[in-house]
Amino acid sequence: MTYTSSPLRNRRAASVLVGAFSALLASAASAQAVAPQPQGVLNLVATATLDVPKDWMTLVLSVSKEGADANAVQNQLKLAVDAALGEARKQARPGQLEVQTGAFSIYPRYNTKGVINGWQGSTEVQIQGRDMTTIGQLTGRITSMTIASVNYSVSRETREKMEAEVTAMAIARFKNQAQLQAQAFGYGGYSLREVSVAYDAPDGGHPVMMADMRMAKAEAAPAMPVEAGKGSISATVSGSVQLK
């Protein structure tokens, strides 16, 4: 015997399948809605801080020149930089005293009628490193440029070393808090659910501007006194634990 399907029978079968699928989705949604919330979860934050000596000094020297001819101004700036670099390079040592040129600019000067009546230019030399005493002494020997700013900060190597130490301290405090809180709530212990570590390292600080020393020096000046001071590095461990 041969059977043939009719449009009505097909529509009924499709309706049954759609109904079954809808019921399955409704059942899954209901199961999710009544899923029990985690119990005995505790959120904690622990912070540790260490004082850190600022062991990196950045000295910026600058010079400004002006004149009627742009090439002449540029040449004067070059001579001033060459003299400063020649003196600083005598003491250069990687990591202890490093030298590099900085910003350079030259631009026209206009009169009240908008006509160029001269040129102005400026440039910088940056000296930085751990040997703060020698850097300070260079300020007295370099006469072609003047101090624009002085900045003290924590070197990358010291920061990385101290971050490892302060992180260990913060983690120990987090674990100690977790154990004490677990016992206070009547639990025997805990297990970690999630945890994150954040750092708050000192920035370079605000540069010390030396506006009173921006005039040209005719002869060697006394060495600049150096006192770097201290900063601090903090590590914060935050997360949640499951009390057991």
Side-chain angles (χ1 to χ4, degrees), residues 34-102:
V34 299
Q37 296 296 317
Q39 300 296 317
V41 175
L42 182 65
N43 295 318
L44 294 171
V45 177
T47 300
T49 302
L50 286 175
D51 289 334
V52 183
K54 294 182 178 180
D55 60 346
W56 192 264
M57 178 179 179
T58 302
L59 169 70
V60 177
L61 301 173
S62 69
V63 62
S64 298
K65 299 291 182 181
E66 61 180 71
D69 182 71
N71 290 330
V73 172
Q74 182 174 326
N75 187 57
Q76 291 177 32
L77 294 175
K78 179 181 181 301
L79 291 175
V81 169
D82 287 344
L85 291 177
E87 191 66 41
R89 284 170 178 163
K90 297 176 184 177
Q91 307 295 333
R93 287 167 293 148
Q96 298 300 314
L97 194 153
E98 301 175 355
V99 186
Q100 68 181 58
T101 54

Side-chain angles (χ1 to χ4, degrees), residues 125-168:
V125 168
Q126 180 176 286
I127 305 172
Q128 59 182 343
R130 294 185 183 83
D131 191 349
M132 300 183 187
T133 300
T134 302
I135 295 175
Q137 292 172 349
L138 279 175
T139 63
R141 293 201 292 268
I142 295 176
T143 60
S144 62
M145 304 183 76
T146 56
I147 300 173
S149 65
V150 181
N151 198 23
Y152 301 100
S153 59
V154 178
S155 65
R156 177 174 55 84
E157 293 80 5
T158 298
R159 184 174 63 252
E160 291 176 352
K161 177 182 176 181
M162 300 303 287
E163 281 180 353
E165 185 175 342
V166 77
T167 299

